[in-house]
Amino acid sequence: MERDRRPELDKVRTGITGFDEITFGGLPAGRPTLVCGAAGCGKTLFATTFLVNGAMLHGEPGVFVSFEERAEDIAANVASLGYDIDGLVAEGRLAVDHVRVERSEIEETGAYDLEGLFIRIGFAVDSIGAKRVVLDTIETLFAAFTDETVLRAELRRLFGWIKDRGLTAIITGERGGGQLTRQGLEEYVSDCVVLLDNRVEDQITTRRLRVVKYRGSAHGTNEYPFLIDAEGISVLPVTSADLDYGVTEGVISSGVPGLDAMLAPGGFHRGSGILISGEAGTGKTMIASSMIAAACARGERCMAFVFEESGHQIARNARSIGLDLQAHVDSGLLRFEAARPSLYGLETHLARMHRDIDLFAPSLVVIDPLSALRGPASELQATLLRMVDLLKSRGITAVFTSLRTEGGFDAQDEFGVSSLMDAWVKLLNVEANGERTRTLYVIKARGMSHSHQVREFRMSSAGIQLVEAYIGPAGVLTGTARLVREAEERAEALRLRQEAERRRREIARRRDAIERQIAELRAGLEAAEEEESVLLGETEAREGRLEAERRERAARRGAAS
């Protein structure tokens, strides 16, 4: 409880995406911050963004004091980012002042101090009620100081004057040899020091940012990649991903009914990571396209990061299997982000994905193919881990395609992406009888029962259909071999049915013949019985007449006597 009552340092939000998160609120309010780095790392843009966001987002006017570039040059440089410096100046929310410092002239007039500069900056601050100040760059201002004691004293005066006025300031400085700045003094008197780096590795440039120190406040201590593009400057704290994200409930269809039927719930878990691996030409992108089409049909937003084909090419190819991805692009549900793997470093690719996902807020993300990314194995592993964590932490269903049949970046690498995936669908080309057929099977699907059978699938204008693969004594048969075997089985079944029918007809004929014989015997028996009955009747009639005649004769003899 005692810790909760500790006072917190007042901070000013910069409005720079990601930077306020890693500094837990922004820059120290009413204090100077040193932003240093080599040429081309983005110091001036960082400082300009700080001022523009303050004026536009937080209602804090600002003053930009440049010792190198003229006001019109600064306005032109940031116009491509959508910053209207001239408009903000006209509205009284921003003031830009170019202070020309010539060392030769200073040497001619002798020693000097910063009193005149303080008066000039103070006037600009008072004229618009500024809360923020940028001084760009400090090396130019102190170029004439050869006495380190005087330089240190003037630096302290400058930083003290900024604090006395309660101004939140950014002071840019050039990187020195072995030190953060050329003089090596600014970093010691600054309350916050931000180091920008423009690093080139394997001919690929990656910009990184690090908060070297921050008096009175905790802060992220890692190096963070940052982007400078048409969207401005954005810092992505992707190096601090945790494993405390929740689980998104629900099941989504893959867009392929046969594949859904192989999974017990009828699809994949929402928010899971799905790997589709296989050789070239097995249909990885088309299966991913089917998942995109199914998600868009449900009204969900989808984003595809593609590294080998353009979005238009994928949409054209998808039409061959009856999918109209362009319609979803036009409706705003689908967005393609295409870039060559060599365009950025791994960190920059990840930072770009982070920024685009936050802006577009998709529910399904496709990365096609993951195996196109190149770099050291350790860096690839770290990048992939962050990529998976980024998507899972937002509950986004992620579909990764990989050219490696075993789900790894390289056949020689022990590290494979499959261990990070929740589901793995493997595609294979089976060659037999002079032809190649496509098959798939589900290697794993965490949290659900699934089929272990190898299934052949066909791609046509009607979509992707799965067919049963023939499994016999010779192994799995697909394609024409399966068709031939199935035709043979149908012919054999027909022969057996015909043989059975012939036997049934033979039995029927024999039954009819026997029944006819029985009928004839029964008729003969009935005739014999009838004849016997007639003979018996005649015998009885004769015996009756004989008996009558005997009685009649007996009667006559009795009368005669």
Side-chain angles (χ1 to χ4, degrees):
M1 298 297 296
E2 182 65 26
R3 184 177 181 179
D4 295 339
R5 289 195 295 267
R6 293 177 182 176
E8 295 183 359
L9 182 68
D10 291 335
K11 296 184 179 182
V12 172
R13 301 190 69 83
T14 64
I16 296 175
T17 302
F19 182 80
D20 292 338
E21 284 73 17
I22 64 177
T23 54
F24 304 110
L27 298 179
R31 299 185 181 188
T33 295
L34 175 65
V35 177
C36 55
C41 62
K43 301 183 298 295
T44 302
L45 179 60
F46 187 97
T48 305
T49 303
F50 165 72
L51 285 185
V52 172
N53 288 340
M56 298 181 63
L57 303 179
H58 304 292
E60 296 184 356
V63 173
F64 191 105
V65 180
S66 172
F67 302 109
E68 292 183 344
E69 296 182 284
R70 297 174 300 176
E72 55 269 25
D73 294 333
I74 294 174
N77 292 341
V78 298
S80 61
L81 305 179
Y83 298 160
D84 185 8
I85 300 295
D86 295 333
L88 293 174
V89 171
E91 295 172 1
R93 294 192 285 174
L94 199 66
V96 181
D97 190 8
H98 176 225
V99 178
R100 182 171 173 269
V101 178
E102 288 290 344
R103 180 170 182 174
S104 58
E105 296 177 2
I106 295 172
E107 289 177 345
E108 290 175 0
T109 57
Y112 73 103
D113 57 26
L114 299 179
E115 195 63 37
L117 177 65
F118 296 159
I119 295 174
R120 190 164 179 172
I121 298 176
F123 175 78
V125 169
D126 295 337
S127 64
I128 62 172
K131 301 294 183 182
R132 305 185 180 198
V133 173
V134 168
L135 304 180
D136 182 46
T137 66
I138 198 169
E139 278 77 17
T140 304
L141 177 63
F142 292 112
F145 286 97
T146 57
D147 189 337
E148 183 175 325
T149 303
V150 176
L151 174 60
R152 183 182 295 270
E154 290 304 302
L155 276 173
R156 291 188 180 277
R157 283 190 64 202
L158 174 62
F159 284 54
W161 182 85
I162 291 173
K163 290 183 179 180
D164 293 340
R165 294 296 299 263
L167 298 173
T168 304
I170 285 182
I171 300 172
T172 65
E174 296 179 2
R175 186 74 183 268
Q179 298 174 329
L180 294 180
T181 57
R182 289 186 181 179
Q183 284 80 20
L185 302 175
E186 300 93 323
E187 58 261 36
Y188 296 105
V189 296
S190 299
D191 290 87
C192 179
V193 178
V194 179
L195 176 63
L196 305 184
D197 184 22
N198 191 17
R199 196 173 305 169
V200 179
E201 296 177 358
D202 295 331
Q203 301 180 357
I204 298 177
T205 300
T206 301
R207 289 185 169 92
R208 291 180 172 90
L209 174 148
R210 180 166 63 95
V211 181
V212 178
K213 80 171 184 178
Y214 200 137
R215 288 175 180 163
S217 174
H219 58 87
T221 58
N222 294 332
E223 281 192 331
Y224 303 96
F226 70 96
L227 301 179
I228 298 177
D229 57 13
E231 302 295 333
I233 184 171
S234 53
V235 182
L236 286 307
V238 295
T239 58
S240 57
D242 298 321
L243 287 174
D244 57 354
Y245 43 77
V247 176
T248 305
E249 299 295 337
V251 175
I252 63 171
S253 170
S254 66
V256 181
L259 179 56
D260 290 342
M262 297 178 69
L263 306 169
F268 295 101
H269 287 311
R270 185 178 294 276
S272 61
I274 303 165
L275 175 64
I276 302 174
S277 67
E279 301 171 354
T282 50
K284 301 181 297 295
T285 302
M286 290 299 99
I287 292 182
S289 298
S290 297
M291 297 193 69
I292 290 175
C296 291
R298 297 190 297 267
E300 300 175 5
R301 297 163 71 89
C302 301
M303 176 170 279
F305 295 93
V306 293
F307 300 113
E308 293 182 345
E309 298 176 285
S310 68
H312 293 292
Q313 185 176 0
I314 292 176
R316 181 204 64 188
N317 296 342
R319 287 199 298 270
S320 65
I321 61 171
L323 302 178
D324 189 1
L325 298 185
Q326 188 60 44
H328 300 308
V329 173
D330 297 338
S331 68
L333 289 176
L334 174 59
R335 177 178 170 185
F336 284 102
E337 288 293 335
R340 285 293 181 187
S342 58
L343 184 60
Y344 309 112
L346 289 173
E347 290 278 7
T348 305
H349 274 297
L350 183 57
R352 170 174 163 264
M353 290 174 55
H354 195 301
R355 195 268 316 277
D356 292 341
I357 288 171
D358 285 344
L359 292 175
F360 193 67
S363 62
L364 176 72
V365 168
V366 171
I367 300 175
D368 178 42
L370 190 66
S371 52
L373 299 176
R374 290 291 181 268
S378 59
E379 190 173 348
L380 280 171
Q381 179 177 1
T383 300
L384 180 61
L385 285 170
R386 298 176 202 167
M387 191 180 299
V388 172
D389 285 337
L390 165 67
L391 298 171
K392 284 193 173 184
S393 64
R394 287 160 172 73
I396 298 173
T397 305
V399 180
F400 301 88
T401 68
S402 175
L403 184 62
R404 308 303 184 193
T405 57
E406 295 303 325
F409 287 112
D410 194 287
Q412 304 299 323
D413 292 339
E414 294 182 359
F415 172 74
V417 303
S418 59
S419 61
L420 302 175
M421 298 294 118
D422 299 297
W424 183 7
V425 179
K426 188 172 182 178
L427 311 183
L428 293 175
N429 282 325
V430 177
E431 297 183 5
N433 297 329
E435 67 171 358
R436 186 183 65 180
T437 56
R438 298 182 175 95
T439 62
L440 67 79
Y441 60 98
V442 180
I443 294 183
K444 75 172 183 177
R446 290 173 179 164
M448 66 178 72
S449 60
H450 58 89
S451 172
H452 297 278
Q453 294 182 346
V454 176
R455 300 288 300 276
E456 179 185 354
F457 69 96
R458 294 190 294 245
M459 295 188 292
S460 66
S461 58
I464 299 177
Q465 298 90 26
L466 269 65
V467 295
E468 292 288 348
Y470 178 84
I471 302 177
V476 178
L477 300 180
T478 60
T480 303
R482 174 182 55 81
L483 297 177
V484 170
R485 183 56 185 169
E486 289 177 349
E488 292 176 352
E489 289 184 347
R490 288 194 296 270
E492 180 65 16
L494 177 60
R495 186 189 66 79
L496 293 176
R497 288 197 301 271
Q498 292 174 342
E499 180 65 22
E501 184 65 26
R502 185 188 63 78
R503 289 197 300 268
R504 284 194 295 270
R505 292 195 301 269
E506 180 66 24
I507 292 174
R509 287 194 296 269
R510 293 178 60 187
R511 180 184 295 109
D512 292 342
I514 292 173
E515 288 179 351
R516 286 194 299 270
Q517 292 177 1
I518 292 173
E520 291 176 355
L521 292 173
R522 183 177 292 111
L525 178 61
E526 291 176 352
E529 290 177 346
E530 184 180 356
E531 182 65 24
E532 183 65 25
S533 177
V534 171
L535 293 177
L536 182 59
E538 292 177 349
T539 300
E540 292 176 349
R542 284 197 301 271
E543 290 178 351
R545 286 195 299 271
L546 291 175
E547 181 64 27
E549 290 177 355
R550 283 196 297 271
R551 285 195 299 268
E552 184 179 355
R553 285 195 297 272
R556 283 198 299 269
R557 282 195 299 270
S561 57

